[in-house]
mmCIF file of all heavy atoms in Angstrom:
data_model
loop_
_atom_site.group_PDB
_atom_site.id
_atom_site.type_symbol
_atom_site.label_atom_id
_atom_site.label_comp_id
_atom_site.label_asym_id
_atom_site.label_seq_id
_atom_site.Cartn_x
_atom_site.Cartn_y
_atom_site.Cartn_z
ATOM 1 N N MET A 1 111.184 148.047 97.560
ATOM 2 C CA MET A 1 109.990 147.180 97.546
ATOM 3 C C MET A 1 109.979 146.449 96.164
ATOM 4 O O MET A 1 109.964 147.060 95.137
ATOM 5 C CB MET A 1 108.745 147.828 97.802
ATOM 6 C CG MET A 1 107.481 146.902 97.868
ATOM 7 S SD MET A 1 106.131 147.909 98.413
ATOM 8 C CE MET A 1 104.829 146.884 97.732
ATOM 9 N N THR A 2 109.911 145.137 96.169
ATOM 10 C CA THR A 2 109.851 144.357 94.924
ATOM 11 C C THR A 2 108.548 143.906 94.633
ATOM 12 O O THR A 2 107.795 143.478 95.481
ATOM 13 C CB THR A 2 110.868 143.190 95.095
ATOM 14 O OG1 THR A 2 112.196 143.621 95.378
ATOM 15 C CG2 THR A 2 110.982 142.420 93.733
ATOM 16 N N THR A 3 108.173 143.968 93.289
ATOM 17 C CA THR A 3 106.835 143.449 92.870
ATOM 18 C C THR A 3 107.000 143.104 91.433
ATOM 19 O O THR A 3 108.093 142.991 90.785
ATOM 20 C CB THR A 3 105.772 144.547 93.119
ATOM 21 O OG1 THR A 3 104.466 144.034 92.776
ATOM 22 C CG2 THR A 3 106.031 145.750 92.166
ATOM 23 N N THR A 4 105.831 142.776 90.838
ATOM 24 C CA THR A 4 105.931 142.530 89.285
ATOM 25 C C THR A 4 105.124 143.518 88.621
ATOM 26 O O THR A 4 104.390 144.151 89.233
ATOM 27 C CB THR A 4 105.308 141.027 89.074
ATOM 28 O OG1 THR A 4 103.982 141.072 89.372
ATOM 29 C CG2 THR A 4 106.046 140.003 89.758
ATOM 30 N N VAL A 5 105.247 143.583 87.254
ATOM 31 C CA VAL A 5 104.501 144.588 86.471
ATOM 32 C C VAL A 5 102.984 144.217 86.656
ATOM 33 O O VAL A 5 102.148 145.208 86.727
ATOM 34 C CB VAL A 5 104.926 144.354 85.006
ATOM 35 C CG1 VAL A 5 103.972 145.243 84.064
ATOM 36 C CG2 VAL A 5 106.336 144.759 84.809
ATOM 37 N N ALA A 6 102.515 142.980 86.853
ATOM 38 C CA ALA A 6 101.110 142.731 86.920
ATOM 39 C C ALA A 6 100.541 143.260 88.194
ATOM 40 O O ALA A 6 99.322 143.349 88.322
ATOM 41 C CB ALA A 6 101.008 141.141 86.914
ATOM 42 N N GLY A 14 108.453 151.552 88.013
ATOM 43 C CA GLY A 14 109.386 150.712 88.607
ATOM 44 C C GLY A 14 110.574 150.556 87.741
ATOM 45 O O GLY A 14 110.446 150.729 86.531
ATOM 46 N N ILE A 15 111.641 149.990 88.228
ATOM 47 C CA ILE A 15 112.866 149.623 87.543
ATOM 48 C C ILE A 15 112.855 148.132 87.368
ATOM 49 O O ILE A 15 112.728 147.413 88.352
ATOM 50 C CB ILE A 15 114.152 150.082 88.215
ATOM 51 C CG1 ILE A 15 114.109 151.617 88.513
ATOM 52 C CG2 ILE A 15 115.387 149.779 87.411
ATOM 53 C CD1 ILE A 15 114.258 152.445 87.277
ATOM 54 N N ILE A 16 113.080 147.647 86.117
ATOM 55 C CA ILE A 16 113.096 146.201 85.833
ATOM 56 C C ILE A 16 114.353 145.559 86.606
ATOM 57 O O ILE A 16 115.519 146.065 86.414
ATOM 58 C CB ILE A 16 113.208 145.878 84.420
ATOM 59 C CG1 ILE A 16 112.013 146.432 83.575
ATOM 60 C CG2 ILE A 16 113.394 144.444 84.155
ATOM 61 C CD1 ILE A 16 112.126 146.225 82.204
ATOM 62 N N LYS A 17 113.974 144.619 87.442
ATOM 63 C CA LYS A 17 115.082 144.079 88.305
ATOM 64 C C LYS A 17 115.680 142.795 87.606
ATOM 65 O O LYS A 17 116.792 142.716 87.471
ATOM 66 C CB LYS A 17 114.522 143.723 89.641
ATOM 67 C CG LYS A 17 115.441 143.186 90.666
ATOM 68 C CD LYS A 17 114.769 142.962 92.013
ATOM 69 C CE LYS A 17 115.714 142.310 92.904
ATOM 70 N NZ LYS A 17 115.123 141.927 94.175
ATOM 71 N N GLU A 18 114.758 141.939 87.208
ATOM 72 C CA GLU A 18 115.169 140.645 86.636
ATOM 73 C C GLU A 18 113.885 140.010 85.938
ATOM 74 O O GLU A 18 112.781 140.421 86.276
ATOM 75 C CB GLU A 18 115.888 139.673 87.549
ATOM 76 C CG GLU A 18 114.973 139.341 88.720
ATOM 77 C CD GLU A 18 115.781 138.458 89.758
ATOM 78 O OE1 GLU A 18 116.581 139.029 90.491
ATOM 79 O OE2 GLU A 18 115.639 137.265 89.611
ATOM 80 N N PHE A 19 114.065 139.020 85.279
ATOM 81 C CA PHE A 19 112.919 138.160 84.722
ATOM 82 C C PHE A 19 112.877 136.948 85.543
ATOM 83 O O PHE A 19 113.781 136.153 85.673
ATOM 84 C CB PHE A 19 113.128 137.834 83.251
ATOM 85 C CG PHE A 19 113.383 139.062 82.449
ATOM 86 C CD1 PHE A 19 114.500 138.993 81.456
ATOM 87 C CD2 PHE A 19 112.639 140.103 82.449
ATOM 88 C CE1 PHE A 19 114.767 140.156 80.649
ATOM 89 C CE2 PHE A 19 112.861 141.262 81.622
ATOM 90 C CZ PHE A 19 113.840 141.291 80.708
ATOM 91 N N SER A 20 111.710 136.640 86.119
ATOM 92 C CA SER A 20 111.515 135.489 87.035
ATOM 93 C C SER A 20 111.882 134.118 86.303
ATOM 94 O O SER A 20 112.531 133.332 86.845
ATOM 95 C CB SER A 20 110.000 135.433 87.314
ATOM 96 O OG SER A 20 109.645 136.509 88.139
ATOM 97 N N ASP A 21 111.415 134.061 85.191
ATOM 98 C CA ASP A 21 111.623 132.750 84.404
ATOM 99 C C ASP A 21 112.847 132.734 83.476
ATOM 100 O O ASP A 21 113.362 131.743 82.995
ATOM 101 C CB ASP A 21 110.311 132.519 83.444
ATOM 102 C CG ASP A 21 110.173 131.104 83.128
ATOM 103 O OD1 ASP A 21 110.786 130.178 83.822
ATOM 104 O OD2 ASP A 21 109.314 130.752 82.278
ATOM 105 N N LEU A 24 111.692 135.778 78.187
ATOM 106 C CA LEU A 24 110.701 136.577 77.762
ATOM 107 C C LEU A 24 110.717 136.674 76.184
ATOM 108 O O LEU A 24 111.771 136.384 75.653
ATOM 109 C CB LEU A 24 110.852 138.174 78.252
ATOM 110 C CG LEU A 24 110.479 138.463 79.620
ATOM 111 C CD1 LEU A 24 110.727 139.948 79.843
ATOM 112 C CD2 LEU A 24 108.987 138.198 79.803
ATOM 113 N N PRO A 35 116.696 144.643 82.121
ATOM 114 C CA PRO A 35 116.990 144.948 83.426
ATOM 115 C C PRO A 35 117.647 146.430 83.596
ATOM 116 O O PRO A 35 118.505 146.733 82.737
ATOM 117 C CB PRO A 35 118.066 143.808 83.808
ATOM 118 C CG PRO A 35 117.601 142.682 83.153
ATOM 119 C CD PRO A 35 117.128 143.265 81.681
ATOM 120 N N GLY A 36 117.171 147.192 84.479
ATOM 121 C CA GLY A 36 117.728 148.466 84.646
ATOM 122 C C GLY A 36 116.874 149.599 83.970
ATOM 123 O O GLY A 36 116.997 150.834 84.310
ATOM 124 N N ASN A 37 115.876 149.161 83.154
ATOM 125 C CA ASN A 37 115.033 150.168 82.416
ATOM 126 C C ASN A 37 113.771 150.534 83.276
ATOM 127 O O ASN A 37 113.322 149.529 84.139
ATOM 128 C CB ASN A 37 114.684 149.734 81.150
ATOM 129 C CG ASN A 37 115.879 149.899 80.090
ATOM 130 O OD1 ASN A 37 116.894 150.396 80.347
ATOM 131 N ND2 ASN A 37 115.672 149.108 78.933
ATOM 132 N N ILE A 39 109.809 151.201 83.824
ATOM 133 C CA ILE A 39 108.459 150.810 83.390
ATOM 134 C C ILE A 39 107.452 151.624 84.042
ATOM 135 O O ILE A 39 107.479 151.698 85.329
ATOM 136 C CB ILE A 39 108.248 149.355 83.424
ATOM 137 C CG1 ILE A 39 108.940 148.537 82.293
ATOM 138 C CG2 ILE A 39 106.788 148.963 83.307
ATOM 139 C CD1 ILE A 39 108.587 147.032 82.311
ATOM 140 N N VAL A 66 102.714 137.230 80.988
ATOM 141 C CA VAL A 66 104.051 137.801 80.765
ATOM 142 C C VAL A 66 104.491 138.809 81.847
ATOM 143 O O VAL A 66 105.561 138.882 82.372
ATOM 144 C CB VAL A 66 104.274 138.327 79.467
ATOM 145 C CG1 VAL A 66 105.578 139.078 79.211
ATOM 146 C CG2 VAL A 66 104.030 137.338 78.314
ATOM 147 N N ALA A 67 103.459 139.645 82.181
ATOM 148 C CA ALA A 67 103.803 140.725 83.112
ATOM 149 C C ALA A 67 104.112 140.158 84.549
ATOM 150 O O ALA A 67 104.904 140.744 85.217
ATOM 151 C CB ALA A 67 102.473 141.607 83.333
ATOM 152 N N ILE A 68 103.564 138.989 84.842
ATOM 153 C CA ILE A 68 103.987 138.361 86.115
ATOM 154 C C ILE A 68 105.417 137.949 86.185
ATOM 155 O O ILE A 68 105.973 137.883 87.274
ATOM 156 C CB ILE A 68 102.989 137.145 86.443
ATOM 157 C CG1 ILE A 68 101.661 137.665 86.749
ATOM 158 C CG2 ILE A 68 103.534 136.246 87.530
ATOM 159 C CD1 ILE A 68 100.493 136.667 86.825
ATOM 160 N N LEU A 69 105.984 137.694 85.141
ATOM 161 C CA LEU A 69 107.397 137.303 84.995
ATOM 162 C C LEU A 69 108.360 138.401 85.212
ATOM 163 O O LEU A 69 109.554 138.172 85.450
ATOM 164 C CB LEU A 69 107.719 136.588 83.667
ATOM 165 C CG LEU A 69 106.923 135.315 83.316
ATOM 166 C CD1 LEU A 69 107.234 134.817 82.028
ATOM 167 C CD2 LEU A 69 107.024 134.276 84.399
ATOM 168 N N ILE A 70 107.994 139.554 84.891
ATOM 169 C CA ILE A 70 108.910 140.771 85.046
ATOM 170 C C ILE A 70 108.946 141.337 86.454
ATOM 171 O O ILE A 70 107.875 142.026 86.913
ATOM 172 C CB ILE A 70 108.490 141.889 84.059
ATOM 173 C CG1 ILE A 70 108.423 141.282 82.702
ATOM 174 C CG2 ILE A 70 109.534 142.993 84.097
ATOM 175 C CD1 ILE A 70 107.958 142.148 81.507
ATOM 176 N N GLU A 71 110.088 141.130 87.190
ATOM 177 C CA GLU A 71 110.174 141.666 88.665
ATOM 178 C C GLU A 71 110.683 143.156 88.483
ATOM 179 O O GLU A 71 111.584 143.440 87.746
ATOM 180 C CB GLU A 71 111.090 140.791 89.460
ATOM 181 C CG GLU A 71 110.464 139.438 89.590
ATOM 182 C CD GLU A 71 111.342 138.556 90.596
ATOM 183 O OE1 GLU A 71 112.402 139.099 91.047
ATOM 184 O OE2 GLU A 71 111.051 137.451 90.611
ATOM 185 N N LEU A 72 110.068 143.949 89.400
ATOM 186 C CA LEU A 72 110.478 145.394 89.419
ATOM 187 C C LEU A 72 110.850 145.785 90.865
ATOM 188 O O LEU A 72 110.377 145.272 91.842
ATOM 189 C CB LEU A 72 109.285 146.250 89.054
ATOM 190 C CG LEU A 72 108.703 146.092 87.628
ATOM 191 C CD1 LEU A 72 107.413 146.962 87.534
ATOM 192 C CD2 LEU A 72 109.693 146.467 86.647
ATOM 193 N N GLU A 73 111.670 146.779 90.993
ATOM 194 C CA GLU A 73 111.944 147.642 92.106
ATOM 195 C C GLU A 73 111.129 148.860 92.124
ATOM 196 O O GLU A 73 111.416 149.697 91.152
ATOM 197 C CB GLU A 73 113.331 147.867 92.382
ATOM 198 C CG GLU A 73 113.731 148.448 93.602
ATOM 199 C CD GLU A 73 113.606 147.492 94.732
ATOM 200 O OE1 GLU A 73 113.853 146.317 94.519
ATOM 201 O OE2 GLU A 73 113.308 147.820 95.934
ATOM 202 N N ILE A 74 110.079 149.006 92.889
ATOM 203 C CA ILE A 74 109.216 150.226 92.830
ATOM 204 C C ILE A 74 109.925 151.427 92.973
ATOM 205 O O ILE A 74 110.727 151.499 93.948
ATOM 206 C CB ILE A 74 108.015 150.067 93.682
ATOM 207 C CG1 ILE A 74 107.054 148.934 93.318
ATOM 208 C CG2 ILE A 74 107.262 151.296 93.806
ATOM 209 C CD1 ILE A 74 105.834 148.661 94.069
#
Side-chain angles (χ1 to χ4, degrees):
M1 183 174 156
T2 303
T3 188
T4 66
V5 173
I15 303 291
I16 299 174
K17 186 176 173 185
E18 60 184 78
F19 305 135
S20 296
D21 204 12
L24 274 185
N37 288 345
I39 281 186
V66 172
I68 289 172
L69 299 176
I70 305 172
E71 293 184 7
L72 301 174
E73 188 71 35
I74 292 182

